[in-house]
Amino acid sequence: MMKKIIVVLSALLMFSELTHAAKIKVLRADFRERPPLMFLVNGKPGGPLVDVLNLVAKEGGYRISWRKSPFQRSIKDIKLGSVDIIPRVSLNEEREKFLHFLGPVGYRLANTLFLTEAALKAKISSYNNLYSLVVGAKRGSFYFEEFNNDDSLNKKLYGHYSAMARALSSGEVNVLAVIESDRKMQEQELGGAMGSQYVYADYVHVRKEPVYFALSKKSPYANQKDALNSTIQSLISSGQIKAIYSRHNVTFTAK
């Protein structure tokens, strides 16, 4: 009799655990390094945006499953619905066709700098000076409206920072367009030549960009976009998102 009771209790416990597991909502999220908002900490995703999304998920009863992925792969997969959400995606009309934009979760400086040889530094003091040069840029990156849409500029696009560095070193381009948040990665590719042979031009395009989480319209949680947005706004109002940014020594700008 006792054995039967033990068997029944074990079965009930197993059923309870399975039922609980079935209720767990897993958000598949992609991560890429974008200091100071996202970076690796002991080999794992870290930074204010990672912490914020983890908190948003917790508040909504989700668990995040993180994957490190290059941005182009992430965009391809989120369009198909095999990824649910990506932190820090710029909003544009084309992406709105397949993404819901949650937030903004503050704003970031998205200034565009222009990296060139020391001899050209002072000669690039305005946007118009770029027309006489060959400008290298990263394929798929949004710099600013005028630059991205200007077909009169002699632009050459590259898939990687290493290819951009080689193009500048070889003289294939005269100047590289560098988004503020990408400058560390671009500088690493130029190594010891940074600051001596290669410097930033006097001209800087200043832009402040809203920071969004992008939710796939094909995600099983796409219909929860309003609830997730409500959670984000609540965390902003309570000061919890600002506190997360502060822990990482990153300035949080609500507007």
Side-chain angles (χ1 to χ4, degrees):
M1 182 67 177
M2 184 59 68
K3 286 184 179 180
K4 287 183 179 180
I5 293 173
I6 292 172
V7 169
V8 170
L9 289 174
S10 297
L12 287 172
L13 180 61
M14 186 180 296
F15 177 76
S16 176
E17 289 175 348
L18 289 172
T19 302
H20 177 69
K23 290 180 179 178
I24 294 175
K25 300 178 291 185
V26 178
L27 273 173
R28 300 160 296 175
D30 266 9
F31 165 87
R32 67 199 186 283
E33 289 195 85
R34 283 296 180 272
L37 295 179
M38 294 189 290
F39 47 84
L40 288 173
V41 179
N42 298 321
K44 295 181 179 180
L49 285 191
V50 171
D51 290 352
V52 168
L53 187 52
N54 282 333
L55 180 57
V56 170
K58 183 180 177 182
E59 292 287 316
Y62 300 90
R63 177 175 65 81
I64 298 283
S65 175
W66 288 102
R67 180 185 76 164
K68 189 173 185 291
S69 172
F71 186 64
Q72 293 305 317
R73 179 185 174 191
S74 296
I75 285 293
K76 178 183 175 182
D77 289 348
I78 202 169
K79 188 183 292 188
L80 297 172
S82 55
V83 169
D84 296 308
I85 196 163
I86 310 174
R88 223 216 80 177
V89 178
S90 298
L91 187 156
N92 62 40
E93 190 175 329
E94 178 60 30
R95 290 174 183 168
E96 282 188 300
K97 294 175 184 177
F98 56 91
L99 295 173
H100 293 302
F101 285 87
L102 310 180
V105 190
Y107 291 76
R108 68 182 181 91
L109 282 179
N111 297 346
T112 298
L113 313 173
F114 293 90
L115 188 58
T116 188
E117 291 189 355
L120 283 176
K121 172 181 165 65
K123 294 180 180 179
I124 307 174
S125 58
S126 70
Y127 183 84
N128 286 338
N129 296 143
L130 297 175
Y131 286 111
S132 61
L133 303 170
V134 182
V135 185
K138 193 166 186 294
R139 185 178 292 109
S141 289
F142 180 79
Y143 293 89
F144 52 96
E145 200 76 37
E146 184 179 12
F147 180 86
N148 277 65
N149 296 329
D150 193 343
D151 294 330
S152 298
L153 280 178
N154 188 357
K155 288 181 285 190
K156 290 196 173 184
L157 303 180
Y158 301 90
H160 303 282
Y161 302 108
S162 56
M164 292 171 69
R166 287 194 298 271
L168 183 62
S169 300
S170 68
E172 186 177 318
V173 300
N174 308 115
V175 59
L176 297 179
V178 181
I179 298 172
E180 180 99 41
S181 58
D182 297 344
R183 64 182 293 177
K184 183 178 179 181
M185 290 177 280
Q186 187 63 73
E187 289 171 5
Q188 286 174 343
E189 295 295 339
L190 290 164
M194 270 303 306
S196 54
Q197 185 177 354
Y198 301 112
V199 297
Y200 289 103
D202 293 342
Y203 171 60
V204 177
H205 182 274
V206 179
R207 184 169 66 89
K208 192 165 71 172
E209 182 180 83
V211 178
Y212 293 102
F213 294 146
L215 178 68
S216 172
K217 288 187 176 180
K218 289 191 176 180
S219 166
Y221 309 115
N223 62 352
Q224 295 299 305
K225 62 181 178 66
D226 292 337
L228 288 167
N229 245 332
S230 178
T231 299
I232 289 170
Q233 296 310 315
S234 177
L235 293 172
I236 290 173
S237 298
S238 69
Q240 292 182 73
I241 288 182
K242 184 177 181 179
I244 287 172
Y245 273 67
S246 296
R247 285 202 298 271
H248 290 280
N249 295 315
V250 177
T251 302
F252 175 77
T253 306
K255 294 182 180 180

